[in-house]
Amino acid sequence: MQPASRRLKQIATLVLAATLTSQAQNLPWATQIAAAPDADTLPQDRGADGLWQTLRKLQTWASLMMIVAHPDDEDGGMLTLESRGAGARVAMLTLTRGEGGQNAMSSETYDALGLIRTNELLRADEYSGTEQYWTRVADYGFSKTMEEAFQQWGHDRVLYDVVRAIRINRPLVLTSVFTGNVTDGHGHHQVAGEMAQEAFKAAGDPHVFPDQIAEGLRPWTPLKVYARVPSFSIRGEGPNKRMFDYATGKSFPLHLRDYVNGQWMDDVPDASVEIPEGAFDPVLGLSYLQMAREGWALQKSQNGGGNPPLPGPFNVAYHRYGSRVPASEHESSFFDGIDVSLMGIASLAHGDAPFLKDGLRAIQAAVTQALYSYVPSDPSRILPALHDGYLRTKQLVHDVDASSLNADDKANIDHELQIKLAQFNTALAEALGLQMNALVTPNLQSDQNPFFGSAAQMTFLHATPGMDFHVRLHVTSAQPWTPGGDLRLARTWLVTPDGENWPVEREEGPLSSSASEADILFKVHVPRNASVTKPYFSRPSIEQPYYNIDDKRWLNRPLAPYPVEGWAEFDYRGVPVRVGQVVQTVHWEHGTGAVYQPLVVLPQISVGFETGAGVIPLEEKSFPLHVTLTNEQQDAADGELHLDLPPDWTAEPGVQKFHLQANDSVTVTFMVHPAHLTSDASYTIKAIAQSGNAQFSESVQPVGYPGLRPYDYYHSATYRARAVDVKVAPGLKVGYIMGTGDEVPRALEQIGVQPHLLTRDEVLYGDLGQYNAIVLGIRTYAARPELATATLRLLEYVKNGGTMIVQYNGLEFDHNYGPFPYTLGSMQEKVVDENSAVAILDPDHPLLTWPNHITQADFDGWVEERGHDFMQSWDPRYAALLETHDPGQDPQKGGLLYARYGKGVYIYVAYALYRQMAEGVPGAYRIFANMVSTGKTTRKN
C-alpha cells in the first residue's frame, strides 16, 4: 500500500488536472482558481487583511444570491456584510445591463451604455466581494408595470436565465431588493422580485427547463428566499395603509403578492431579519455600508458619482417568503436554521456517510488551527495548517468520488469541496506572498531602475490577428524558493482561447532569477482566425428587448473572457499553488501615470460611419457621408474603401484608396447622390474596406471613460437613411451647449444647420446675440455648472430676440432658471410608451406650423419612450402645446412649453427628440427644425 503522503500528492495532481479543465464545466466561477482581470486588487484584499478575509471564507459554506433588475439596484451593504464580514460566498444576478438608462458621463446610449454599466458594476462588485451574473434581457427604458416588462421580455425567457444562474451558482439563500409588487416602482424591479420567488420553487425541479439538465447542470433547491421589506413605499396607518407606486405616481390599497405561497398580504411584511449594514469592520476600516457605497459611487454613468455615508448604525429589514428548514419568526441572519459550518456540507448526502463527516471534521480542524494561529505580521505560521487542510480536502474529493453515494449527492458535495480547494489555494498564495504580473513587453530585457526597482514598460494597447508580441511573467514570493526547499517555482505558462491554436513559444530561460523573483518571456503569435474581444451577445436593433446569444459558452457571464492569461504554479511541500493574471498592456496618461489594462484583440481595420442613422431631406440632390477608417495594427495597411449603395444611387468617389500607418485613422467623405427618394422610405448603405485578402465592415467603438476596463462595442458599418420632408429656415446660426452628450448637433447638420458647440467662456462672456437659437443639450444643468451663473445672460439673450431651447433636465434644473416660474417636481413625470397618443393642443401655433406643419404622423415610429422630466406645473405665460400620457396616467402637458419673453422665445422640451434623431425618426427632425427656426418666425411676425 502506498504511503499516505504519496497517495495525497497523486490525488492532488488529479484534482489539479480536473480544475484546469473546469472552464468547460458549468461550475460557478468561485469554484475555479481564476486569473485576476486587473493588475491591482483593492487594498482591503491585499496582505494581512486579504488573508484574514480568505480565512473567514474557508470556515463556512454559506452562500447567497441576490436578484435585481439593473446595475445600481443592489443592496451593497448587505452583500458586503455577508461576503466580507461573514465569509459567505455571495453572488448577484442582474437582469439587465442598464442599456435604457441615462448617461451622466459620456455620449454612449443603448448597448454601448450597457457595456459601460456592465464594467461599472463589476468594479462595484469588487468592493462588496460579489460574483456577478446576468440574463439576456435588455433594459428597453423605464417600465411602469410588470405586465409590460413580461410582454417585452417573455416570462419564460427571464425565468430560464434566472434558473440557469441558480443551477450554476447553487446558493443556499436567495434574496432580492424587490418583492414583485407595485411598491417596487419600476416594472423591471417587479420582475426581479417575482423571479427570485418563482425561481426558489423552479430551480430544483428537473422538469423545469430540462435542456439545462441535458447540458450538464443539475437541479438545485435553495433553502430560503427573502426580499427587502418595502418601507418608503408604504403610507398611512392601520386599515388606511396604502402603497405608493413611484412609476405611476399613484397610490393603491396595500395588497402585496407572495409568489412562494400563492397568497396576498394586506399588511406590510414582517421583518424576519435585520441586517446591520452600518456595523464597523476593523479589518476593512469601514462599515459594510461605507465599503459598498465606495463601489456604488463608481457607477458614474448612472449617478455621476456617489456620496458615501458617514459611519453609524444602519439596519435593513428583510422578510422571509419561504424556507425549507425550520426557522423562527425573528432571525439573527439569513442562515439561521442552516448549518453553514464545514460540517454542514454533510447534509448534502442522503443517508449516513461517516467517512464524509470524518473528512469534513478534519478539514474544519485545519481551518480552525489556521484561524487561531494567524498572526498578521507572520502569515507563515499558518502554512502547515493550510497545507494540511488542502490535502485533506483533496483526499475527501477522492473519497466522495469512490463512494457509493448517488450521482447527485456526489456532484453537490464535489461542488462545495471544489470551492474549498480554490479558497485554500488563495489562502496559501496569500500566506506565501505569491504574486505574478503578466505583462505585454516590447523589449527582451527586464527594466531595472536603481532608484525605483523593476518597472513595467509602455506597450501597445491591443493585438490584432496575424501579429506577434512578447509576454513577460514577473513572478515573486515573500518566501524564498529553492530546488530542495519547501517552496519552489514549478512551472509557468500562458492560456489562450480554446480551439484557436495560438502558437506560444517560451524564450530560453528566465531573464532574471533570484531566490524570490523570476522573469519569464513568451513569444505569442495571434493566428489569422483569432476571435476579436467582443461581447458574446448582440441584437439586430434596439427595438428587440433582449439579446441574441452569439456564443452560448458564456451565457450568464458578464462578458466573454479576455484572450490571454499568464499563470505560475508553485509547489509547496507537494501542494500545487497557482496564481494567474489576465495579460496586461501598459500606457501612460498625464496626471495618472502608468495605466494597466487587459490586452484585447481587435480586427486589423475598423470601419464605421459617424452615426448609424439619419435623414435625407426630400429636396436634397446629394449629401455627404463620413466614414472613419482606423488601422488597429502595429504595421501599415493599404486598401480600398467603397460604399454598397441602393440601386441607381452613386457616390463620389466610387472607390477611395487608403494608406494608413500603424494605429492611424482617417475620415473619408463620400458625396452620395440618391435616386427616386420617397417620403419616409428607408435606405441602407454599407461601408466596406478591402485590405489584402480580407474585407472589413465593422466598427470598433471604445466606450466609457478613464478608469474602466476596456471592452469595446462592435456594430456593423451600416447607415440607415430615411427620406423625410423637412424644411428649415435659411441662414440659421445655432449655438449648442453640450450636456452629458447626445447626437443632436450631428443630426442638425443633416438638415443644413451647422451648430457651434459653445465653450464655458463663450457661455459666460461671449457674444450670444449672434445666434438665432441656442440649444441646451440633455442634462446640461448637471454637466455644465456655468449655466447657473449664466442664467441672467441667457435670459437677456432671449429678451433681446433670441430663441433658447432647453432639452430635458433633471432636478438640477428645478430652480426657476426660465423666464417665468415652473416646477419640475420630485416625480419627474415620464411617458414611457413610445406609442402613446399625442394630442396637439394648439394646431395653429407657429411652433407647430412653420416651416413644417406638425401632425399626428410626426409621432409615429418613435423608439423607447415619448419623454421624461415633464414639467409638473408652470406659469400661465408658458403655452403647453402637446399632451400625452401612458395608460392610467394623468394627462401630461408639460412636455413642450413655449413662452414669449421680450422679443424672443423660451422653449422647454422633454420629449426624447435626441433619442429619435439618433434613430432617424422623421418627426423628430421636423419638430426640431421648427424649434431652431422659431427665431426667424418671431422676427418675421
Side-chain angles (χ1 to χ4, degrees), residues 118-133:
T118 293
N119 270 314
E120 288 178 330
L121 182 53
L122 292 175
R123 286 293 190 200
D125 289 339
E126 294 176 19
Y127 286 78
S128 59
T130 300
E131 183 181 7
Q132 185 66 50
Y133 295 77

Side-chain angles (χ1 to χ4, degrees), residues 915-929:
R915 288 194 188 275
Q916 315 313 317
M917 295 172 84
E919 294 300 314
V921 176
Y925 281 84
R926 289 163 50 83
I927 295 168
F928 225 108

